[in-house]
């Protein structure tokens, strides 16, 4: 059973601290992409090295998420949150001061490890601090901030690089991290999970499997899908994950109990999250390049024109959280996913080599509303689909699947783009982007179908509630 000390600062402080920490971790997924030319000019390195400045963070972040959540459950969520935040902040400073490309890649890997410990614990700490009746609104604000970070990464990176220097995409984290550390220590309540010992075999199997899968997905477009390292990573990673599943069905205290997936709520929201991030990450990756490389906008101009999409979560997600409190998360999440799919499909139709911004605006608005309706209720569904003592690992598993979905989306949609078009002219870029966006739209629509399979709120509450012991019948003495 979860053991929680008395609250120190209440829900408002917990919401501020966890939202800002989540923003920092989510932002660094894509913030580097628009800074790569400037980094190459300053630090040198080939295309392979530049790709690793993005991949090193994604890899360690995705691989260590479930392990970070398990550490928090075992040794204290606030304690491990502070440790992860410390590592992330220090690695951000190291990345900003990196004298060469190799040291930058190393700092990015450490940064991802810190984020992997910090990120899943933001949700469990927030859940512990917020009363049940207000969690929808809290998740809405948390989801809005995180959604904004994911979508605005290219804008923030491009603006800082264009107007100051690329180092500031990392320096930005340092004052935020230093401000959050004492606040977390003073204002967050400590809580634990089940107190079970760490599952070392499960940790090794899950981490190794995720490493192989994410490595193969990240390196496939650059190294070729038939290269020895990519194939080894994909097949070995897949085998290790199968081993993890088989082991976890038999282990006494598994890191991720497989029985959680017997719940339609837990399975449905995780499937929807993976598919949503697959379609969304791949689309943002291509659309940010389309606006700059084809339509001729600067990084800052492109980011501003994407604000109807990327900024919409700040306006709509809190409302989505309130709706989820009143009518349940399933209809809100499903509606958001179908709107996101509609927006991506519309963008595929109107995209041309000389498309006007007015023609794209409806697609951006619809996609933004859809993304906003997804983030907050999805987090609520994840946390309410399990018992309080299991919320840490549930959050870690969901975040890991989102990261795998994002890596898979960039890999799959990048491959479709390369097969159907290229960077030669604006028209060849559009020829490759259109089928990729159609694929992304179809995948997000599948996510909406998965969300419809989630049970109603009342049924989920019954499933998450611990089973009551059967009454003991008294028998006559012999």
């Amino acid at each position: 059973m979860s053991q929680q000390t008395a609250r120190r600062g209440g829900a408002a402080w917990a919401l501020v601290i966890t939202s800002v920490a989540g923003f920092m971790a989510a932002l660094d997924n894509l913030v580097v992409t628009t800074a790569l030319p400037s980094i190459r000019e300053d630090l040198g390195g080939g295309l392979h090295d530049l790709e690793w400045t993005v991949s090193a963070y994604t890899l360690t972040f995705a691989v260590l998420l479930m392990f970070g959540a398990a550490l928090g459950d075992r040794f204290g969520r606030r304690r491990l949150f502070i440790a992860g935040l410390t590592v992330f902040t220090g690695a951000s400073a190291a990345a900003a001061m990196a004298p060469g490309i190799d040291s930058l890649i190393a700092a990015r890997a450490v940064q991802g490890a810190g984020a992997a410990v910090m990120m899943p614990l933001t949700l469990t700490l927030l859940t512990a601090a917020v009363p049940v009746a207000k969690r929808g609104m809290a998740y809405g604000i948390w989801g809005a901030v995180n959604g904004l970070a994911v979508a605005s990464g290219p804008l923030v990176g491009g603006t800082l690089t264009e107007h100051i220097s690329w180092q500031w995409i990392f320096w930005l984290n340092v004052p935020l991290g230093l401000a959050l550390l004492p606040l977390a220590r003073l204002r967050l309540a400590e809580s634990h999970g089940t107190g079970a010992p760490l599952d070392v075999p499960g940790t090794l199997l899950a981490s190794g499997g995720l490493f192989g899968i994410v490595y193969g997905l990240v390196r496939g477009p650059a190294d070729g899908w038939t290269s020895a390292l990519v194939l080894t990573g994909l097949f070995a990673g897949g085998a290790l994950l199968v081993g993890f599943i088989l082991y976890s069905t038999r282990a006494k205290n598994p890191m991720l109990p497989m029985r959680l997936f017997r719940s339609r709520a837990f399975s449905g929201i995780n499937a929807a999250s993976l598919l949503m991030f697959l379609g969304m990450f791949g689309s943002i990756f291509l659309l940010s390049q389309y606006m700059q490389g084809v339509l001729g906008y600067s990084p800052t101009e492109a980011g501003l024109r994407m604000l109807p999409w990327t900024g919409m979560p700040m306006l709509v997600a809190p409302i989505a959280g309130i709706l989820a409190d009143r009518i349940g998360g399933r209809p809100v999440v499903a509606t958001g996913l179908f709107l996101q799919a509609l927006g991506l499909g519309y963008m595929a139709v109107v995209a041309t080599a000389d498309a006007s911004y007015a023609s794209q605006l409806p697609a951006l608005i619809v996609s933004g509303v859809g993304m906003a309706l997804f983030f907050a209720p999805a987090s609520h569904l994840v946390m309410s689909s399990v018992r309080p003592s299991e919320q840490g690992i549930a959050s870690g598993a969901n975040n890991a699947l989102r990261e795998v979905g994002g890596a898979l989306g960039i890999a799959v949609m990048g491959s479709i783009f390369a097969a159907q078009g290229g960077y030669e002219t604006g028209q060849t870029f559009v020829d490759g982007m259109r089928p990729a966006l159609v694929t992304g739209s179809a995948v997000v629509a599948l996510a909406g179908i998965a969300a419809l399979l989630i049970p109603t709120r009342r049924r989920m509450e019954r499933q998450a509630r611990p089973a009551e012991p059967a009454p003991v019948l008294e028998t006559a003495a012999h």
Side-chain angles (χ1 to χ4, degrees):
M1 182 178 293
S2 178
Q3 299 172 349
Q4 182 179 319
T5 63
R7 287 196 185 111
R8 300 186 172 199
W13 276 112
L15 180 57
V16 170
I17 294 166
T18 57
S19 294
V20 175
F23 179 89
M24 292 162 62
L27 181 71
D28 277 57
N29 259 316
L30 291 173
V31 73
V32 178
T33 52
T34 46
L36 292 178
S38 297
I39 292 174
R40 183 178 185 181
E41 185 178 337
D42 277 3
L43 302 183
L47 179 63
H48 177 79
D49 297 313
L50 293 177
E51 288 168 343
W52 268 113
T53 63
V54 179
S55 302
Y57 182 88
T58 303
L59 198 57
T60 54
F61 189 24
V63 165
L64 297 175
L65 272 164
M66 284 198 291
F67 182 52
L71 286 174
D73 284 350
R74 179 69 180 84
F75 297 109
R77 291 161 177 163
R78 185 190 65 189
R79 180 183 300 171
L80 266 293
F81 172 81
I82 291 172
L85 179 59
T86 301
V87 171
F88 181 85
T89 303
S92 297
M97 296 185 292
I101 194 71
D102 291 336
S103 56
L104 175 60
I105 293 170
R108 287 282 288 166
V110 176
Q111 212 186 7
V117 175
M118 175 178 71
M119 186 64 173
L121 299 177
T122 59
L123 265 182
T124 48
L125 289 166
L126 182 61
T127 301
V130 178
V132 174
K134 296 182 178 179
R135 283 179 186 165
M137 180 186 292
Y139 290 145
I141 297 170
W142 182 91
V145 174
N146 280 269
L148 178 64
V150 170
S152 64
L155 167 62
V156 174
T159 302
L160 291 174
T161 301
E162 186 177 338
H163 297 293
I164 308 178
S165 72
W166 66 264
Q167 284 89 350
W168 274 94
I169 63 179
F170 302 115
W171 281 127
L172 178 66
N173 294 323
V174 176
L176 291 175
L178 291 176
L180 288 183
L181 283 169
L183 289 176
R185 179 69 182 84
L186 296 171
R187 298 294 184 179
L188 293 178
E190 184 62 280
S191 64
H192 296 78
T194 61
L198 282 178
D199 176 16
V200 176
T203 298
L204 294 175
L205 286 169
S207 299
L210 286 172
F211 180 88
I213 294 291
V214 178
Y215 178 89
L217 293 175
V218 166
R219 299 309 310 165
D223 298 345
W225 293 105
T226 57
S227 72
L229 281 175
V230 169
L231 288 176
T232 300
L234 292 173
F235 284 113
L240 287 172
L241 287 182
V242 170
F244 170 70
I245 293 170
L246 294 175
Y247 164 81
S248 297
T249 58
R250 297 174 173 85
K252 184 178 180 182
N253 294 301
M255 181 175 68
L256 178 60
M258 289 298 112
R259 61 177 170 75
L260 295 181
F261 289 96
R262 296 175 193 159
S263 162
R264 276 173 48 201
F266 188 77
S267 297
I269 191 56
N270 278 291
S273 295
L274 186 147
L275 293 169
M276 162 64 172
F277 271 65
L278 194 161
M280 186 187 71
F281 258 68
S283 300
I284 291 174
F285 179 74
L286 290 174
L287 285 170
S288 62
Q289 296 181 71
Y290 166 69
M291 286 198 167
Q292 294 177 58
V294 176
L295 300 183
Y297 301 127
S298 71
T300 304
E301 290 170 340
L304 289 173
R305 282 164 174 78
M306 289 183 75
L307 274 179
W309 183 8
T310 60
M312 197 61 69
M314 292 300 291
L315 301 176
V316 179
I319 301 172
I322 295 171
L323 284 174
D325 279 339
R326 293 184 178 177
I327 65 174
R330 180 180 68 167
V332 182
V333 165
T335 300
L337 290 168
F338 288 127
L339 285 175
Q340 179 79 83
L342 178 63
L344 292 176
Y346 188 94
M347 180 63 79
V349 171
V350 302
T352 63
D354 57 352
S356 68
Y357 182 62
S359 67
Q360 302 168 54
L361 190 58
L364 294 172
I365 293 173
V366 171
S367 294
V369 173
M371 184 168 67
L373 290 176
F374 169 81
F375 274 113
S379 301
H380 200 170
L381 286 169
V382 170
M383 302 306 278
S384 61
S385 68
V386 298
R387 298 166 185 165
S389 62
E390 297 167 332
Q391 287 175 340
I393 197 58
S395 174
N398 183 257
N399 276 283
L401 287 171
R402 289 183 178 193
E403 287 301 308
V404 171
L408 184 61
I410 292 175
V412 169
M413 295 175 71
S415 296
I416 294 171
F417 168 80
Q420 300 293 322
Y423 291 93
E424 293 81 13
T425 65
Q427 187 57 51
T428 57
F429 190 97
V430 171
D431 290 342
M433 185 181 72
R434 274 181 165 170
L437 290 180
V438 170
T439 302
S441 174
V443 168
V444 176
L446 284 176
I449 294 172
L452 290 176
L453 300 177
I454 298 170
T456 62
R457 177 170 59 178
R458 185 171 298 175
R459 187 172 177 182
M460 283 179 60
E461 288 171 350
R462 288 201 304 267
Q463 290 175 347
R465 198 177 297 137
E468 295 182 5
V472 177
L473 298 178
E474 294 183 1
T475 57
H478 295 285

